[in-house]
Amino acid sequence: MSLGDHLRELRGRVFKALIFIALGMVVGALVFDPVWAFLERPYCALPAEVRGGTSEDCGLIFTGIFDAFFLRFKVAVIIGLLVSCPFWLYQLWAFIVPALQRRESRYTYIFVGAAVPLFIGGAALAYFVTQKGMEIMFGFSPDNAMPMITIDNYLGYIIMMLLVFGTAFVLPLVVVLLNFLGILSHQVIAKWRRLIIFLAFVFAAVATPGGEPFTMLALAVPVVVLFEIAELIAFLNDRRKRNADPLAELDDDEISPLEEDDEAAQTSSKR
């Protein structure tokens, strides 16, 4: 295909993906109330004396005329992306797969199949630790100070938590994928293990919206555990490759034995 054909195909698939996302947004607008109640629950579960409201009233406020409208719009967009993800991901996959080799496409199926539950697991963990994280942050407020959290501020916080935890849980899977593709060996992973663990804690400290120790550890510790599992999988995969191909242990500049030389040696010995 020429460059123009590629661009036309990309335009068509992006257009189809946007249609599916728009239909998903319609679904999101219809189910806004139960979804917002679900997102609001960690804040409402805080003790009344911590959030400054009553047990029945969560106390979230909005200060702009259009804040309520944009809240519904943002939630509809998020739900639309989630509901329509099988369809727009298929459009992306259909555009990329012709350029992949058979082995690469097979590994991509495995990656997507494992990435979805990992992302959901990370987002679920974020949902449960959000309440404790907010309780710790509100604990630093002075006496007689009442928090007045806006709806927009809270939505940004909870969505950021879900995305950060979900994405972080998928990162060790990228290490496994690179190892299976032959790009990253277990030897390299083991060499940089301490630095990777250190960077995991740095990432957790920087990426978590609150920045308090509880949320940071809640993210960093599971990511380190997942990385160790990824390293183990890379080790087993490299060992399997070595057993299947004994010459894989040779360096790039090392001369490998040839079958012809072995046959010639056997012939000369018989003579």
Side-chain angles (χ1 to χ4, degrees), residues 26 84-85 106 112-113 140 143 242:
V26 174
S84 63
C85 68
R106 184 175 69 251
V112 174
F140 291 101
D143 295 337
R242 287 194 299 268

Side-chain angles (χ1 to χ4, degrees), residues 89-218:
L89 281 176
Y90 169 77
Q91 297 299 324
L92 176 64
W93 172 252
F95 180 75
I96 295 176
V97 69
L100 299 178
Q101 298 179 0
R102 182 177 180 182
R103 184 186 64 170
E104 294 173 343
S105 62
R106 184 175 69 251
Y107 289 156
T108 306
Y109 280 119
I110 299 174
F111 175 81
V112 174
V116 172
L118 283 174
F119 185 90
I120 294 175
L125 177 62
Y127 183 80
F128 288 108
V129 304
T130 295
Q131 176 187 345
K132 186 62 178 179
M134 288 189 296
E135 187 174 350
I136 293 175
M137 294 303 297
F138 289 170
F140 291 101
S141 62
D143 295 337
N144 300 324
M146 179 180 296
M148 300 182 69
I149 309 300
T150 64
I151 289 178
D152 187 67
N153 181 262
Y154 175 74
L155 178 64
Y157 175 78
I158 187 69
I159 295 302
M160 181 62 68
M161 286 285 291
L162 297 176
L163 290 177
V164 167
F165 273 70
T167 304
F169 272 47
V170 177
L171 290 179
L173 184 62
V174 177
V175 175
V176 176
L177 179 63
L178 294 176
N179 176 260
F180 274 56
L181 293 175
I183 301 175
L184 187 63
S185 65
H186 171 262
Q187 185 178 2
V188 175
I189 299 173
K191 179 180 179 181
W192 297 99
R193 181 189 300 114
R194 294 183 179 178
L195 178 61
I196 293 175
I197 294 175
F198 172 75
L199 291 177
F201 280 89
V202 173
F203 171 79
V206 174
T208 50
E212 33 79 26
F214 175 78
T215 305
M216 182 193 73
L217 292 176

